[in-house]
DNA sequence: AATGCGTATTGCAGGTAATGCAATGAATCG
DNA sequence: CGATTCATTGCATTACCTGCAATACGCATT
């Protein structure tokens, strides 16, 4: 809509790949160097990009700070966190919290496994939307037309032999998940990783977030992981109840600031 | 430099405070609603802002993803991480890694304490630059004129009775830190929290990052924490050596992706 | 030092594209 | 059903963005 802003914002993903100098930015943006310079200057003034000693540009600190503030303002996260910690304490496995936004599903909180074999994931990172258990729950909750249109607009990478690889299979899976009220991913993303997930509902019944417990085969088998399902569902329901104001918020642990 | 981009970017910190509707954005930006709308649309197309069901705008998912990628491209972080984990395993305390950028010092990595009493901090968040041990190290490394000008441009909030509250005291502290090659914060930010920190040097000898171990008084006294200093310094030097290519990188632990 | 090369930066004139206005939709509420 | 509020659109005006070309800067080479 706004050409100038559009160009400026297009610089960001470009810099996310790694540092670049003025000429590279100008070329990849398809504009004159002087134009790129002015855009970069403006981004720089706002701290969105940073200039390295070698004059190349990188994404800057304020971007972190913004993302930070944004994630802290998500009230589901705030409420859910102690529950995630507790679930982690009870099971020992990695616990994730995810939300749906703009055709992406992304982790907004995580508590690490106590086992030495960890899985790679990061808060803020989009999940494998076609296979992740949390993604299934969040998409399954969409109204039919939107669910269909989203499903048909996705790519279906074949991460493993057990990945879902087309929209009709995905929609069928979503229907099943919608029906049963929980979801799994059994080796659909990484051959050796299984997850069970349950939905967090808002006061209007819509699914506002989903949480999952993930563990590699080498620690527990899929069957064993499934025995945790009732616990996961209870936890998700506790979060839902609190989020909807049906339960008083829990006492939060003491916190202070370091240097 | 570019008015349009400038205005668009000014929306971000505004939305970071919390969701806002079109009129609020337009008012706080000092522009007509239609102008604000077009800016928000452009931000929206790029996923930088998100539109809630109630039509209000929030910071969006792509912002996280960008911040994510940015932090992952910091190679110091990559190298340092296993060392931080190890230091945490050895001490049990919270370990931070921080860098200096554009008059701010911010955490880029963190390993949580094993003790129940945790401290509040988040990756991406600027630190209390006038008192934090890591900030002292990073600023102490600047060349004299810049160090002075930065120090004089700072605010000196009195977090506690032990906070540094003026630029000359700060410069004196920096001189001391520069001399001794390590830094502390003994209750300067939070009365009951102490930290010891050591610098990570690049191949050219410049201080590229700083790491710290932080613990509350209730867990260990300041004196006890200081006994960890040699360990902290050794760890920082190990990171420096590896970062400068003087040591082969360590084997990273097995990692896989969850759902 | 002086020269040359590759960048980054600046001033300027032309014209596009951003702006504000006013009118229209859409949605909520009494 | 009318009134109110807020988002959205079309349009005329001109501010601001753009690309060009000239200049300055940093760095290496001799």
């Amino acid at each position: 809509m706004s050409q100038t802003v559009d160009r400026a914002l297009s610089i960001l993903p470009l810099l996310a790949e790694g540092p670049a100098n003025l000429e590279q930015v100008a070329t990849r943006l398809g504009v004159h160097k002087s134009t790129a310079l002015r855009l970069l200057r403006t981004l720089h003034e706002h701290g969105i990009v940073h200039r390295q000693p070698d004059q190349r540009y990188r994404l800057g600190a304020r971007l972190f700070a913004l993302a930070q503030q944004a994630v802290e303002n998500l009230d589901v996260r705030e409420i859910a966190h102690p529950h995630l910690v507790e679930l982690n304490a009870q099971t020992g496995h990695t616990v994730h919290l995810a939300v749906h936004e703009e055709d992406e599903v992304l982790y907004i909180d995580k508590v690490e496994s106590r086992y030495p074999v960890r899985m790679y994931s990061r808060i803020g990172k989009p999940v494998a939307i076609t296979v992740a258990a949390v993604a299934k729950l969040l998409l399954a909750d969409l109204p039919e037309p939107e669910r269909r249109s989203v499903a048909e607009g996705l790519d279906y990478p074949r991460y493993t032999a057990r990945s879902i690889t087309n929209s009709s299979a995905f929609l069928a899976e979503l229907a099943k998940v919608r029906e049963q009220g929980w979801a799994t991913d059994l080796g659909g993303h990484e051959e050796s990783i299984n997850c069970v997930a349950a939905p967090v509902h808002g006061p209007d019944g819509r699914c506002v977030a989903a949480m999952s417990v993930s563990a590699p085969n080498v620690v527990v088998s899929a069957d064993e992981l499934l025995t945790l399902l009732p616990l996961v569902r209870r936890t998700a329901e506790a979060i839902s109840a609190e989020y909807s104001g049906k339960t008083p918020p829990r006492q939060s642990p003491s916190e202070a600031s370091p240097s």
Side-chain angles (χ1 to χ4, degrees), chain A:
Chain A
M1 283 262 104
S2 166
Q3 190 186 69
T4 317
V5 177
D6 187 43
R7 284 174 171 167
L9 295 180
S10 302
I11 294 178
L12 302 183
L14 198 151
L15 289 185
E17 294 169 19
N21 67 19
L22 178 60
E23 196 159 37
Q24 293 170 316
V25 171
T27 307
R28 293 202 46 186
L29 221 58
V31 300
H32 196 270
K33 275 193 302 179
S34 59
T35 306
L37 178 67
R38 281 180 287 250
L39 298 176
L40 282 164
R41 279 241 183 89
T42 312
L43 290 165
H44 184 218
E45 277 171 15
H46 284 258
I48 306 291
V49 309
H50 171 60
R51 200 137 196 217
Q52 294 182 332
D54 65 354
Q55 295 208 310
R56 293 191 303 166
Y57 296 90
R58 286 206 331 91
L59 293 183
R62 187 131 305 125
L63 207 59
F64 300 80
L66 283 172
Q68 221 28 68
Q69 272 199 58
V71 83
E72 284 181 2
N73 284 341
L74 295 176
D75 35 359
V76 209
R77 192 185 153 278
E78 203 74 6
I79 289 169
H81 190 75
H83 294 275
L84 305 193
V85 170
E86 192 181 329
L87 188 56
N88 166 264
Q90 289 166 349
T91 65
H93 303 303
T94 301
V95 181
H96 280 101
L97 185 71
V99 295
H100 167 73
E101 184 182 318
E102 314 272 342
D103 296 358
E104 281 184 342
V105 170
L106 54 134
Y107 296 123
I108 59 170
D109 204 1
K110 174 186 185 182
V111 183
E112 285 277 5
S113 168
R114 280 197 266 104
Y115 296 96
V117 183
R118 300 284 184 82
M119 42 220 66
Y120 179 72
S121 73
R122 271 208 163 262
I123 294 173
K125 195 166 178 161
V127 313
I129 198 166
T130 56
V131 295
V134 288
K136 292 174 187 171
L137 281 164
L138 288 161
L139 297 184
D141 182 65
L142 295 176
E144 153 64 15
E146 199 181 340
R147 205 184 331 152
R148 173 172 297 275
S149 88
V150 169
E152 285 169 357
L154 294 176
D155 283 337
Y156 292 86
R158 186 183 218 89
Y159 302 107
T160 74
R162 312 173 85 169
S163 297
I164 292 170
T165 53
N166 60 74
S167 62
S168 52
F170 190 52
L171 283 166
E173 173 76 0
L174 292 189
K176 186 184 118 199
V177 164
R178 192 184 172 84
E179 181 66 28
Q180 68 191 7
W182 51 274
T184 60
D185 166 28
L186 303 176
H189 184 47
E190 287 282 338
E191 198 65 69
S192 62
I193 305 267
N194 302 310
C195 311
V196 289
V200 174
H201 295 288
D204 56 356
R206 288 291 308 272
C207 179
V208 295
M211 63 178 298
S212 71
V213 171
S214 316
N217 268 324
V218 295
V219 175
V220 290
S221 70
D223 285 345
E224 286 171 304
L225 191 63
L226 277 173
T227 63
L228 296 176
L229 179 58
L231 179 59
V232 176
R233 297 187 75 182
R234 269 204 306 281
T235 305
E237 266 155 35
I239 298 170
S240 302
E242 197 174 315
Y243 182 67
S244 308
K246 290 174 192 145
T247 310
R250 347 173 84 222
Q251 198 64 29
S252 64
S254 60
E255 291 196 334
S257 300
S259 297

